[in-house]
Amino acid sequence: MVDVLLGLQWGDEGKGKVVDFFAPRYQVIARFQGGPNAGHTLYVKGEKVVLHQIPSGIFHEEITNLIGNGVVLDPVTLKKECEKVAAFGVDVRKNLFIAERTNIIVPTHRALDKASELSKGAEKIGSTLKGIGPAYMDKTGRNALRVGDLLRSDFNTLYEKLRTKHLQMLGVYQFEEDIAAWEAEFFEAVAFLKTLNIVNGEYFINQQIKAGKKILAEGAQGSMLDVDFGTFPFVTSSNTISAGVCTGLGIAPQHIGEVIGVTKAYCTRVGGGPFPTELFDETGEELRKIGHEFGATTGRPRRCGWMDLVALHYACMINGVTQIVMTKSDVLDHFKLLQICKSYRVNGQETQQMPYQLSDTDISPVYENFEGWDKPIASCDSMDDLPEAFNKYLRYITDYLDIPITYISNGPGREQIIHEKTTATA
Ligand code: GDP
Ligand code: IMO
Ligand code: MG
């Protein structure tokens, strides 16, 4: 059986921490999409670690970690990350496996990402500039190099062909970048990658399923950044939703079990694009400061705002979410008044549905107000400890979504999480 854990907002919901917490219940943890644009934070032996390419189960020795075919893989980032985890005693040759159909990010993809963003001017997406968009374009354009190609004797010829094409495209953008240094580290990283466990991912995972192993598919980014259903064009280039698990790993839908959605107790977004509940005032500043809302990959300040139930309900619908983990509840300890968006007023009309496009639409959130609580959530270690005002906040959300919130995370550490079954009362 394959359970899925993914982000329900615009990324950075705390997926890394929650996967690390759930890891002991699984034998396999697999990434199925995204690439080094992801930044998943976890704490190992009290030390903060941010993972970009490697699944968040890597610090559990007995767990098999798989980078699935739906991922775009930057060999340079992977090598650095392998060295990082090795410092914690992890032997990636024992518990990390890479699907041979995984597409590779080459240095010119990064240059193309930059060129594309520059050409968009004020309309730029706010990409992490890791080469994600161009790499997925080469996949769907049927030009990409894949991990399995690294083992071919003519790999260098294939690389040269792709490089020439990319340089022509960069010429059209009139964009110049000295990629020689990037190429040197790329080829060094490719040599390293070839020494790792490269497998046929689809047979690998299906054999694990057949053997009765419990598998967790770890999402990257968030549902509102999905290339089909997110706030297009301000999205990433992969299917971040549960449907992406099947194509991103090579498994059939009947093997999917629980779909665990992770949401913050409020909302953040990094990069450009619409964000209806964004706060531009002091409260937004406070959320950023108290929540340490700065990008794990790029260090950019995250935009902050109130919980948006229109977007969250939509995300739960398209993912088939069966349970929710709410993170960063402790950050709200510091506020006297909280708001939750229950509907949008779109061009004067109230709706609970996501409009086709948020960017060109006049949207204002309609809020429900909540009183803050006097006892810090951060100090609670069971449901019975939680203040009534927080329970009221929680109940409003579960009733609206009709999905249980089964865990409340109240701090960044692995053990800072409360198990709860706040079932909908509606
Ligand atoms: P991911 O991309 O979804 O894995 O999330 P990130 O790692 O980019 O960002 C989440 C941030 O919140 C990280 O700094 C985590 O250490 C931190 N975090 C996760 N859960 C909690 C929580 O419940 N409370 C607090 N205060 N911080 C948390
Ligand atoms: P995790 O897995 C938050 C955002 C970027 C940009 C848009 C497109 O840590 O939650 P891309 O580099 O994919 O071309 O950028 O998506 N973005 C993320 N935002 N968390 C992430 O990953 C993100 N990955 C991409 O900021 O707005
Ligand atoms: Mg992140």
Side-chain angles (χ1 to χ4, degrees):
M1 192 54 82
V2 183
D3 291 344
V4 182
L5 186 142
L6 44 73
L8 296 175
Q9 299 170 309
W10 282 277
D12 303 329
E13 297 88 350
K15 299 175 290 293
K17 178 234 155 112
V18 181
V19 169
D20 184 45
F21 168 76
F22 279 139
R25 302 170 190 190
Y26 295 91
Q27 282 102 44
V28 182
I29 299 194
R31 279 276 306 268
F32 60 95
Q33 48 69 231
N37 49 351
H40 295 181
T41 314
L42 27 128
Y43 282 82
V44 190
K45 296 174 187 153
E47 213 175 301
K48 178 176 165 174
V49 185
V50 180
L51 295 173
H52 304 286
Q53 292 273 193
I54 299 180
S56 300
I58 197 70
F59 294 104
H60 301 259
E61 207 179 311
E62 61 297 344
I63 292 175
T64 296
N65 290 269
L66 175 70
I67 297 179
N69 61 277
V71 168
V72 284
L73 181 65
D74 182 345
V76 178
T77 309
L78 179 71
K79 180 168 179 281
K80 283 188 192 144
E81 210 157 285
C82 287
E83 288 161 1
K84 187 156 70 180
V85 301
F88 288 88
V90 174
D91 181 357
V92 289
R93 290 191 178 81
K94 280 205 182 121
N95 69 344
L96 178 67
F97 296 81
I98 303 165
E100 58 193 355
R101 292 181 195 274
T102 306
N103 288 250
I104 292 172
I105 299 178
V106 297
T108 37
H109 282 141
R110 277 155 64 190
L112 281 165
D113 213 357
K114 268 192 181 176
S116 164
E117 281 284 78
L118 267 178
S119 75
K120 286 181 200 270
E123 255 100 69
K124 73 173 183 182
I125 288 160
S127 161
T128 59
L129 303 178
K130 303 289 179 191
I132 307 297
Y136 276 115
M137 280 163 74
D138 271 338
K139 174 180 178 172
T140 50
R142 297 157 296 182
N143 297 307
L145 295 171
R146 309 197 285 184
V147 168
D149 295 328
L150 300 178
L151 309 174
R152 285 173 56 154
S153 56
D154 60 349
F155 174 73
N156 284 359
T157 317
L158 298 174
Y159 175 81
E160 274 307 316
K161 212 166 126 190
L162 189 61
R163 179 184 190 273
T164 306
K165 179 172 167 283
H166 288 167
L167 291 179
Q168 282 166 358
M169 289 162 71
L170 288 166
V172 174
Y173 279 118
Q174 298 181 314
F175 182 84
E176 276 181 40
E177 177 91 57
D178 180 12
I179 58 161
W182 293 0
E183 281 190 310
E185 62 173 2
F186 173 76
F187 277 103
E188 205 183 302
V190 161
F192 170 77
L193 173 47
K194 281 160 74 172
T195 68
L196 301 182
N197 300 306
I198 297 173
V199 295
N200 177 306
E202 57 276 24
Y203 280 107
F204 186 85
I205 199 97
N206 280 288
Q207 276 156 8
Q208 305 273 357
I209 293 173
K210 211 162 174 205
K213 300 279 165 66
K214 283 207 78 184
I215 298 161
L216 183 67
E218 172 183 358
Q221 290 77 58
S223 305
M224 299 314 292
L225 289 171
D226 181 273
V227 67
D228 282 279
F229 300 104
T231 46
F232 190 89
F234 299 95
V235 293
T236 190
S237 300
S238 63
N239 281 117
T240 59
I241 62 168
S242 54
V245 174
C246 293
T247 53
L249 293 176
I251 58 159
Q254 65 265 33
H255 295 308
I256 306 280
E258 291 287 314
V259 179
I260 306 159
V262 186
T263 177
K264 279 179 188 167
Y266 50 97
C267 244
T268 64
R269 169 162 208 171
V270 60
F275 180 3
T277 61
E278 182 167 13
L279 291 164
F280 299 95
D281 57 6
E282 256 176 44
T283 310
E285 266 306 318
E286 286 279 284
L287 278 171
R288 185 173 311 113
K289 218 169 72 199
I290 299 165
H292 304 291
E293 295 296 357
F294 295 88
T297 300
T298 57
R300 291 177 291 176
R302 294 176 182 147
R303 301 154 62 192
C304 297
W306 294 125
M307 167 69 93
D308 180 345
L309 285 183
V310 178
L312 195 60
H313 178 268
Y314 178 74
C316 289
M317 176 182 78
I318 57 178
N319 282 300
V321 169
T322 56
Q323 54 176 300
I324 293 174
V325 178
M326 183 185 281
T327 59
K328 306 200 88 156
S329 313
D330 51 305
V331 173
L332 297 185
D333 283 348
H334 308 266
F335 297 85
K336 292 217 163 6
L337 174 82
L338 307 163
Q339 295 195 297
I340 293 182
C341 166
K342 56 180 176 183
S343 55
Y344 295 157
R345 194 164 286 118
V346 181
N347 300 329
Q349 284 213 312
E350 205 169 319
T351 176
Q352 293 189 331
Q353 290 198 3
M354 283 301 283
Y356 165 65
Q357 202 165 27
L358 294 177
S359 336
D360 300 328
T361 318
D362 172 24
I363 292 182
S364 50
V366 180
Y367 287 113
E368 187 78 21
N369 292 338
F370 293 83
E371 270 178 32
W373 35 92
D374 41 16
K375 179 183 172 187
I377 305 292
S379 69
C380 299
D381 50 19
S382 84
M383 182 59 191
D384 299 335
D385 282 353
L386 292 172
E388 184 44 34
F390 178 72
N391 284 334
K392 216 169 148 192
Y393 185 83
L394 219 58
R395 252 192 325 266
Y396 186 81
I397 298 168
T398 47
D399 284 355
Y400 188 104
L401 301 172
D402 200 16
I403 298 172
I405 295 177
T406 48
Y407 288 86
I408 295 147
S409 170
N410 60 345
R414 192 184 275 174
E415 307 306 332
Q416 290 173 295
I417 194 159
I418 304 170
H419 183 193
E420 179 41 35
K421 246 192 160 57
T422 322
T423 31
T425 53

